[in-house]
Amino acid sequence: MSNSEGLILKQMTLQSDDIFFIFNATERRFKFVNTAFEEITRRKSDELFKNPGLLLKIVFKDDLQYVKLNFKALLKKETSSLLNFRVVRPDKTERWISLKVYPIVEDGKIQYLCGMGEDETARIASVFNMQKINGWKNSTLEILSHDLRGPIGTVKMLASVIAKKLPENEEIHKLTELIEDISRRNINLINTVLKREALDTAEVAMSKERLDVVWEIKQVMEIYIKSQEAIHKKLGFTHSHKEIYVNADSMKFLQIINNLVSNAIKFTRENGSIQVHVEKLEKTFLVTVADDGIGIPRSLRPILFKKYTKAGRAGVNGEDSMGLGMWIVKSLTESHGGSVWFESEVNKGTKFYLEIPLGSI
């Protein structure tokens, strides 16, 4: 690169809204940081040159361990890495930073860490809102389908009873046939919408991000808990830690949770209980969804996670099955490098276990 090209590149980085930096891995100090660092963090660049440890001091406390572990790994890793974490400004406001780091190797050793950092606060806020809406949409669809299928099924059944009691009245017979047909069509429409929604989400390409699974599950469970009187079941959510950060696809993870919870609702009698718990382990996190419902017969257990089998049975209130729910749960869990299994006892309940790696850090 010529001197003029180097000057142009320097001018570009100085004017950029993104942070550009060069860190000497041997001397453990910064050689260059552009003025965007000051704009985003509200700290002086001179402080960072004098004391590189300042970077760790301004990292949000819940992200500090994540950043420290990554920094140690970066000093040994000869490929680029992406970090997402929060920093705290002097006024206590938080900013999300997406940091792309490139190692510079000389003589078989990492000499420099270079890269750029973007202020992702606005995008992360939008993603959180989108995740909340997506969780609300999926759980609301399940609740609505539960509330709609029941009454429509009852109308269909009553029409059939009326037709049998008045078999000689041709006009009533035609009207009851019409009611039954309309009811059947609407139940099929509800099932089609749920099936299409489930398949569309499952087929979207995987897009992992650093996210808090406690927050994610809470968005889903709040909708179900608010509706527990309408669905006549008691629901609860507990967690081992206030926040559990992982690398996962939010939309697909929420679909897994929705499928497991809606399945528990479907096979739990009125006034039954459904409890969701998430536990942080050493390298994984474990989600359990437990109910005291009708359980899973032994004959269906070997085929439960298969597609379109007789394991897709009707619920306690006659709800139809799409035959896809548990297959989608298994497929999406495995796409995250995880596993799913269950324990069940007929007429006493079922507990599903979902274990997924926390992700590379």
Side-chain angles (χ1 to χ4, degrees):
M1 181 185 293
S2 66
N3 289 337
S4 60
E5 289 170 337
L7 183 61
I8 291 171
L9 185 60
K10 184 176 181 180
Q11 289 293 321
M12 181 190 74
T13 58
L14 289 174
Q15 296 179 56
S16 175
D17 294 330
D18 299 327
I19 298 171
F20 284 85
F21 67 91
I22 300 173
F23 180 80
N24 189 310
T26 304
E27 299 175 3
R28 300 294 176 93
R29 65 188 182 92
F30 285 93
K31 301 290 289 184
F32 173 79
V33 178
N34 66 342
T35 53
F37 172 82
E38 298 184 356
E39 181 63 30
I40 293 174
T41 67
R42 299 288 195 268
R43 259 85 174 188
K44 295 292 184 182
S45 300
D46 289 345
E47 297 178 41
L48 192 62
F49 289 125
K50 293 176 184 176
N51 178 21
L54 171 67
L55 186 60
L56 294 178
K57 291 181 180 179
I58 66 174
V59 172
F60 186 69
K61 60 183 179 63
D62 291 340
D63 297 343
L64 186 57
Q65 184 67 9
Y66 164 80
V67 173
K68 284 182 176 179
L69 290 173
N70 266 285
F71 181 72
K72 288 181 180 178
L74 287 170
L75 293 172
K76 302 174 183 178
K77 187 178 177 184
E78 297 186 5
T79 55
S80 62
S81 299
L82 179 64
L83 282 69
N84 292 289
F85 58 92
R86 289 161 290 181
V87 296
V88 182
R89 287 174 166 176
D91 63 3
K92 305 304 180 184
T93 58
E94 299 168 16
R95 309 300 292 180
W96 275 95
I97 305 297
S98 177
L99 197 67
K100 188 73 173 180
V101 183
Y102 301 92
I104 307 301
V105 180
E106 295 177 358
D107 299 325
K109 185 179 178 182
I110 296 175
Q111 299 291 341
Y112 296 94
L113 296 176
C114 307
M116 61 177 291
E118 295 181 77
D119 186 341
E120 292 269 80
T121 309
R123 188 188 71 83
I124 292 293
S126 297
V127 168
F128 281 167
N129 286 331
M130 183 177 67
Q131 291 169 350
K132 191 170 184 177
I133 291 168
N134 188 60
W136 173 86
K137 179 255 302 177
N138 287 340
S139 51
T140 302
L141 267 177
E142 290 290 348
I143 292 165
L144 280 175
S145 70
H146 181 276
D147 290 346
L148 288 172
R149 278 187 293 199
I152 293 172
T154 302
V155 169
K156 180 174 175 290
M157 180 189 68
L158 291 175
S160 177
V161 171
I162 292 169
K164 288 176 182 178
K165 286 186 177 292
L166 299 167
E168 296 178 1
N169 192 315
E170 189 175 343
E171 185 177 356
I172 289 179
H173 188 68
K174 286 181 179 179
L175 289 173
T176 54
E177 276 189 343
L178 180 62
I179 292 171
E180 285 188 70
D181 185 57
I182 292 172
S183 299
R184 189 183 303 107
R185 287 174 181 269
N186 278 277
I187 290 172
N188 289 338
L189 177 62
I190 292 169
N191 290 336
T192 299
V193 169
L194 288 174
K195 183 176 179 180
R196 176 61 61 86
E197 177 64 26
L199 285 173
D200 284 350
T201 305
E203 290 172 0
V204 172
M206 178 76 72
S207 178
K208 289 185 179 181
E209 287 194 278
R210 185 167 179 258
L211 52 88
D212 175 13
V213 290
V214 174
W215 186 90
E216 299 279 333
I217 299 174
K218 192 177 290 182
Q219 303 313 304
V220 173
M221 292 305 297
E222 281 181 358
I223 305 298
Y224 284 114
I225 291 170
K226 287 177 182 177
S227 305
Q228 60 187 349
E229 289 184 8
I231 58 179
H232 308 294
K233 276 95 174 176
K234 297 173 185 176
L235 295 104
F237 172 51
T238 56
H239 39 88
S240 65
H241 295 68
K242 183 180 176 182
E243 297 174 326
I244 301 175
Y245 281 93
V246 308
N247 284 331
D249 184 305
S250 171
M251 186 166 64
K252 294 182 184 296
F253 178 71
L254 288 179
Q255 186 174 7
I256 294 171
I257 301 302
N258 260 306
N259 282 11
L260 290 174
V261 174
S262 64
N263 193 67
I265 290 171
K266 182 177 171 182
F267 295 109
T268 301
R269 301 180 185 90
E270 285 194 8
N271 301 316
S273 175
I274 297 152
Q275 295 294 321
V276 179
H277 179 73
V278 59
E279 185 88 15
K280 184 180 180 182
L281 305 177
E282 185 178 354
K283 295 183 178 180
T284 62
F285 68 98
L286 182 69
V287 179
T288 56
V289 179
D291 66 64
D292 55 6
I294 63 174
I296 303 168
R298 287 191 177 278
S299 61
L300 299 182
R301 295 176 192 179
I303 58 173
L304 187 70
F305 293 113
K306 296 186 183 297
K307 200 174 180 181
Y308 301 124
T309 67
K310 62 180 180 179
R313 56 196 170 129
V316 293
N317 293 316
E319 302 97 331
D320 290 333
S321 171
M322 295 183 294
L324 290 168
M326 291 299 102
W327 170 76
I328 287 174
V329 166
K330 187 173 188 291
S331 297
L332 296 185
T333 300
E334 289 179 348
S335 70
H336 280 86
S339 57
V340 59
W341 67 98
F342 64 91
E343 297 172 352
S344 186
E345 191 171 347
V346 175
N347 292 323
K348 289 192 176 181
T350 302
K351 182 181 283 189
F352 278 93
Y353 299 89
L354 175 79
E355 188 171 13
I356 295 177
L358 294 171
S360 58
I361 57 173

